[in-house]
Structure formats: C-alpha cells, structure tokens
Amino acid sequence: MLNSIDKRVVELLNANLPEAKAVLKEVTVGHGSVTVSAEKILEVCQFLKQHEELKLRTLQVITGTDYPTVSEIEITYVLCSLEKNHELLLKVRVPRSKDVSDLNALPKVPSVVSVYAAANFQERECYDMLGVNFTGHPDLRRILCAEGWEGHPLRKDYVPAEKYLDMVINPAHKVNTEDHFFGKKLKEQMDNPKLVSWSWKDDSETTEESAGE
Amino acid sequence: MCPFFCNEFGAKMQDSVVLMKVDDFLNWGRKNSLWPMTFGLACCAIEMMATGAAKYDLERFGCGAFMATPRRADLMIVAGTVTLKMAPRIKTLFEQMPEPKYVISMGSCANKGGPYWQHGYHVLKGVDEIVPVDVYVPGCPPRPEALIEGLMTLQKKIANERLLKNKWVKHA
C-alpha cells in the first residue's frame, strides 16, 4: 500500500501556488485525487517534481475520460516517487468541444513534456484518443490511429467511419447482426434467465425484466 | 509394362529410377520447402513462434525458415488482428512476395475480425478483404497443432496444383 499524500499535496499547492486552485477529492474506495486548474498544470508539475518532500519525479501515465453529460474532459496524470514510495493522481478538467475538425477548436491543456519527457507519447495518445490539444508539445500528431484518421475514438459521441482507404470497415456480409442480440435470445430460451450473464447495453433492459420475474 | 524394363537392364534400373510428372516433382519440392515470412501482428504471433520453436518444430514440415524479407518468402502467415492502419502495409508486403505465394489466415481476428466484430472501429473484418487467403485456421489463438494442420492443408493444396500444365500446355 502506497502512502497517501493527497492532503499534504493540497496543503503545499495552496500555500505555494494558490492560482492552481488545488482541490482534494477523498474517496472511501480506491484512490483519492487532486484536481488543479488546467492552465497551471505545467507549474504544478514543476513544483511537485522539484519539491524536496514530495519528489514526484516519475510520470507513470496520462489518460483521459470523456464526460459528455457535463461537457468536460478529465485528464489524469499518475505521478509517483520511487524514492519516497508514494503516488499521486493529479487531474485537470477542461470543457469539451463538439467540433473536433480543427486543432484550435479542441480543448487546450499546457504540455508537460518540458518537465516529464515521458509525457511525449502519453500526450500524443491522449490527443489521438480524446482530442485534447496539448499546447507547447514538440510533436503533436496521432500515435495509434492511422494517418488521416477522422475523429477521436474514445469520445462518447464518436461514430465509427464507414470506410477507410477503400476498405469497408463493417461489411454487411461479414458482420452477423443477428448475433448482436445473442444474449437476449439466449435469455428467452433459457428456463432460468438469471443463469445467462450478459453485460452489453442492448440487453440491460432484458436483465432487469427477467430479474423482476 | 514397357518392353524397355522387361530385360535384365530394366530390372536394375527399377531400383534407381523414379518416374513421375514434372509437376509432381516441382510440387513435392515446393510444398516441403515453404518459407514463411517473419511477420506477426498480435498474440497469434506468440503461438506461431511456439510452433516454430523446438517443441512443435515447424521445420519438420520444411516450413521453419522464417525469412526476414518478403522477397524470399512464399508463405505469409497473417497471425493476429489486422488493423486498418496495418492493412495497406500487409497488402504491400503481399505484393512484394514472388509468385507463387500463399497466405494462411491464422486466428479469429485475421479470419473475420474476431472479438472486434461489433465495436471494432479500427479493425479490418478479415484479411481476405485485401489479400487472397488459401487456408483459414480458426482459434483464438489457435494451438500450434492447429497451425500445423493448416500448414498441412496448404501442402495438400500445393501438391494438387498444376503450375507447368497451366502455364505451357494450352487447351490441355
């Protein structure tokens, strides 16, 4: 179990960088996190890396989540200190834009590549998957999706393309659409529908119905 | 029996001469020296490596010389998920291979998209969309025995080909 340093980090940040507006989020299960304002993420990372008590010198991962209901994208930086044996979830939230056609239209977050070199590929992945413009990144281009790909697949409103370079992505003769409801049919056939475990969204209603029976 | 062999000379010759079609001879050589291309896409490639390694030993079937270039290979084992990013590269590699060339589609992903069949926005639904496939090996991933059976199926297919006849004997 890693030592929790969330409270101490918020104290230090509010004392030294009040403009970052660090907010502590405590949870009973899982890991707590610290949310800071997106414009100050570079300064916050610099501070956390150089502080003698924290020594958060390793960036483990940068990942993101799309929240279309509140129209925000949350980016999570997982920092850790191998010397002090502690870990920190640092989060920023930026307003999400519907228009993803242009780099300028995307939500902007300052890049932390100048502090953590490991952020280079991580930020490229986050840009590729969620459409976040990391300003000041030395080489911001797609890392996983193919060249000339349109859209950002991890956004909840992403619609898969029909074609890519003359290749049909979902040819009708290849995709057995009847099997999309395989679990639903199985539940109808089984004497005890509760024995069928199926977690896809199309069948969630059926699960509730059969549970009520 | 031809009169040539019905004497003392013929009796000696019978022990040292094999009579067969040139096509059969060429096929025998081709099917027992298939050189696959060193080319793995995903987890099926791990099974392909296991098949090539000591325990299952693909070399027993003359198929162990994994070539590092498509120019020297005559078999492409598509082992793994074919993403849309990879698909044009696979097509290029296939076109770089000299004729006659064969393709084994290994595993569910290469056959038909595998687990990415409904929500796979980035996966090609089967490698046969871009290259002609000779043998499909089902499994996720297939056991080494399954790949070996696929290879033996391909060898049977090659043994029945008539390359010379099709090329030079018109209206045969």
Side-chain angles (χ1 to χ4, degrees), chain B residues 68-168:
Chain B
T69 161
R71 312 269 181 204
R72 285 194 282 168
D74 22 40
L75 171 64
M76 184 158 87
I77 303 177
V78 185
T81 316
V82 184
T83 58
L84 292 168
K85 194 176 183 178
M86 198 65 191
R89 277 100 169 156
I90 291 176
K91 202 174 177 184
T92 310
L93 286 172
F94 180 74
E95 282 160 1
Q96 284 172 344
M97 283 162 64
E99 295 265 3
K101 51 194 172 185
Y102 304 94
V103 177
I104 291 181
S105 165
M106 181 186 180
S108 296
C109 295
N111 289 345
K112 224 191 143 180
Y116 310 99
W117 52 285
Q118 190 184 359
H119 301 294
Y121 63 92
H122 66 301
V123 174
L124 189 70
K125 302 297 179 295
V127 74
D128 49 6
E129 297 274 316
I130 46 168
V131 294
V133 176
D134 292 283
V135 177
Y136 297 86
V137 181
C140 188
R143 295 262 323 156
E145 294 94 330
L147 180 60
I148 289 174
E149 188 180 353
L151 178 76
M152 289 165 80
T153 314
L154 180 66
Q155 286 180 333
K156 279 178 200 160
K157 191 175 175 176
I158 294 172
N160 289 324
E161 281 185 348
R162 290 288 171 261
L163 284 186
L164 291 179
K165 194 174 154 188
N166 294 345
K167 195 171 173 68
W168 283 310

Side-chain angles (χ1 to χ4, degrees), chain A residues 129 143-147 149 153 158 160 164-165 167-171 173-176 179-180 200 202, chain B residues 83-89 111-112 115-130:
Chain A
M129 288 292 145
I143 190 169
L144 292 171
C145 288
E147 306 85 10
W149 194 268
Y158 176 74
Y164 174 73
L165 297 180
M167 290 177 286
V168 184
I169 295 178
N170 280 312
H173 65 284
K174 283 279 182 72
V175 179
N176 187 356
D179 275 2
H180 289 190
W200 285 1
D202 299 334
Chain B
T83 58
L84 292 168
K85 194 176 183 178
M86 198 65 191
R89 277 100 169 156
N111 289 345
K112 224 191 143 180
Y116 310 99
W117 52 285
Q118 190 184 359
H119 301 294
Y121 63 92
H122 66 301
V123 174
L124 189 70
K125 302 297 179 295
V127 74
D128 49 6
E129 297 274 316
I130 46 168

Side-chain angles (χ1 to χ4, degrees), chain A residues 58-112:
Chain A
T58 308
L59 174 75
Q60 289 182 324
V61 70
I62 298 176
T63 182
T65 321
D66 186 17
Y67 292 102
T69 45
V70 290
S71 192
E72 272 180 343
I73 287 177
E74 185 181 77
I75 298 153
T76 309
Y77 299 76
V78 183
L79 306 172
C80 84
S81 169
L82 299 175
E83 297 157 56
K84 300 275 181 177
N85 192 26
H86 53 218
E87 202 176 35
L88 173 71
L89 295 187
L90 187 67
K91 295 186 176 180
V92 299
R93 275 183 171 247
V94 281
R96 130 197 229 288
S97 63
K98 271 217 144 163
D99 176 27
V100 292
S101 56
D102 189 17
L103 202 62
N104 290 322
L106 298 176
K108 288 189 181 64
V109 178
S111 167
V112 296

